[in-house]
Amino acid sequence: MDCENARRRISETLDGGRPDAALVGHLSGCAACSRTLTRTRSLNAALASLPQLRPSAAFSTGVLASLKRARAAESIPAWPLAAAWAASSLALAAGAMRVSLSIPRLAGAVAEGAALLELAGRLALRVLPAPRAGAELSAAALIAVALFLTISLPHAHKTRLIGAKS
Amino acid sequence: MSEPLVADADLVRRCLSGDDGGFAALLERHQDRVYSFLRRLTGDARDAEDLSQVVFLKAFRSLETFDLARPFHSWVLAIAHHAALDHLRARRTDLSLDHDEHPIDPADGADGPERLAEAALDGALVERLIAALPPLYREALLLRHGEGLSVEEVAATLGIPEGTVKIRLFRARELMRRKWEAFEKDETREAPRP
Ligand SMILES: [Zn+2]
């Protein structure tokens, strides 16, 4: 066994391998490898007795607060999103009634409902803790659709809608 | 390492059942070892603290994927390993092991044992020696001896074969011992003993 191999085997014995006869024989005749064994043992022991380091005192409270925030954002209630959905559906219905069914009065009432729902959903999203980006985006997209359809209604309805909002 | 395994698993169950006290207890129990590992691996206290926060948030939020039969500390250290590697890569730290691939010259160690006075292995010197190792070697030694994991556990934590862990440990030990000897030579040169 040469010294390079002996050192490899030394490392293995320090991880639980059993020293074989060849290694024992080499160590008894090689001062350098015996010394390697002793010194590597010392290094391992020194590593094992390194003190544990501590993060700053604010660390754990910071982690727990972040965790709380993240979980609060995840448990955002479903209703603002549902409101946005309903608003866009109503606005769509209002648009359809006006264009194809020519019943502007009913269309106006439905559009008012849509605008109110849309407003409620938007306010809720602003007040709630930062929701997950996906939910926020889809709600925002739906609100945009609702707004577009509401605005594209006849002028008379628009003025009524603005009156209802303020 | 005789970790209170059952207790850790119980704490995880508490977290999963919605009891927030479980998170605080797990954090209290494991934060120092995760921080120490990351502190010595990155070499920077602030980075280590930021990374530790990332690690625990990730662990706590993916707790349902934790295998209750596994030791919690090796699971959280595996997350720390990935976070540290991402961090070191982002800092463009050289993570290759190539520069240590060439075989170690056997004549190197045959310096005559009595000629060198052994520098005391105090904590500060060990910290310097470990900091001077390439990160992946440092990591293997920290997990094996600093955290007291077995070769099998180190392999599971790093996601590499046991044989690779053994090779890294061998090279890490050789490098560290050589650095220690080089340090002693410097010491002897600078402050010759009577
Ligand atoms: Zn030898």
Side-chain angles (χ1 to χ4, degrees):
Chain A
M1 182 179 278
D2 62 16
C3 289
E4 164 79 7
N5 266 322
R7 284 201 286 259
R8 242 173 238 285
R9 292 286 298 119
I10 286 171
S11 186
E12 280 169 28
T13 64
L14 295 171
D15 293 320
R18 297 189 66 84
D20 52 27
L23 177 63
V24 174
H26 181 93
L27 286 175
S28 65
C30 178
C33 285
S34 300
R35 191 155 166 272
T36 294
L37 174 61
T38 321
R39 303 202 116 212
T40 311
R41 272 198 189 125
S42 307
L43 282 170
N44 292 351
L47 281 168
S49 57
L50 280 179
Q52 282 211 331
L53 307 170
R54 310 213 66 180
S56 70
F59 175 75
S60 59
T61 41
V63 172
L64 292 173
S66 301
L67 181 68
K68 214 168 202 168
R69 271 199 303 277
R71 295 197 315 164
E74 268 180 6
S75 62
I76 176 176
W79 70 265
L81 200 58
W85 265 110
S88 63
S89 317
L90 281 176
L92 202 64
M97 281 176 216
R98 201 188 71 77
V99 174
S100 48
L101 302 174
S102 319
I103 35 176
R105 270 182 60 189
L106 187 58
V110 173
E112 265 177 41
L116 280 174
L117 266 174
E118 180 267 316
L119 191 67
R122 214 146 39 106
L123 282 177
L125 281 175
R126 192 173 302 166
V127 169
L128 286 166
R132 279 167 301 170
E136 189 170 33
L137 275 179
S138 38
L142 290 172
I143 286 167
V145 170
L147 263 181
F148 173 77
L149 289 169
T150 310
I151 286 165
S152 67
L153 285 173
H155 180 72
H157 297 311
K158 254 194 274 180
T159 17
R160 284 177 60 196
L161 284 177
I162 291 161
K165 269 193 205 177
S166 53
Chain B
M1 191 161 270
S2 57
E3 197 66 20
L5 254 187
V6 180
D8 270 352
D10 282 345
L11 290 176
V12 171
R13 280 193 202 93
R14 272 176 66 187
C15 297
L16 290 175
S17 68
D19 175 0
D20 281 3
F23 291 114
L26 274 177
L27 188 60
E28 173 67 31
R29 185 175 290 178
H30 295 281
Q31 66 177 31
D32 288 0
R33 70 190 314 174
V34 167
Y35 173 77
S36 301
F37 171 66
L38 289 169
R39 171 78 179 78
R40 294 191 170 109
L41 192 51
T42 63
D44 185 275
R46 206 196 158 97
D47 287 350
E49 193 156 317
D50 291 348
L51 281 173
S52 300
Q53 165 141 359
V54 168
V55 167
F56 278 104
L57 285 178
K58 192 163 186 190
F60 288 163
R61 298 185 66 199
S62 52
L63 216 48
E64 65 275 9
T65 68
F66 170 63
D67 175 2
L68 286 166
R70 245 185 104 179
F72 184 79
H73 68 267
S74 74
W75 184 67
V76 82
L77 283 170
I79 299 175
H81 154 73
H82 288 295
L85 249 56
D86 287 347
H87 170 81
L88 291 173
R89 280 194 198 102
R91 296 254 309 258
R92 297 174 191 284
T93 307
D94 181 13
L95 292 179
S96 73
L97 297 171
D98 299 348
H99 51 285
D100 292 299
E101 268 321 297
H102 40 78
I104 291 146
D105 176 10
D108 244 24
D111 229 330
E114 283 73 39
R115 243 192 55 199
L116 300 174
E118 251 187 48
L121 260 184
D122 58 21
L125 176 57
V126 177
E127 297 278 9
R128 277 177 64 185
L129 293 174
I130 189 109
L133 294 177
L136 294 183
Y137 289 150
R138 197 185 317 154
E139 182 180 48
L141 274 186
L142 285 173
L143 291 174
R144 175 74 182 90
H145 298 298
E147 296 304 324
L149 303 187
S150 66
V151 169
E152 190 188 351
E153 286 173 319
V154 175
T157 301
L158 300 181
I160 55 176
E162 283 183 39
T164 310
V165 173
K166 285 183 182 166
I167 293 169
R168 282 192 195 172
L169 285 171
F170 167 63
R171 300 214 178 270
R173 287 168 178 149
E174 289 288 297
L175 277 174
M176 197 168 173
R177 184 174 52 78
R178 268 146 215 282
K179 284 176 196 299
W180 182 17
E181 282 162 1
F183 173 82
E184 282 173 342
K185 273 185 202 165
D186 285 353
E187 286 280 283
T188 320
R189 206 174 300 132
E190 279 163 26
R193 279 151 223 239

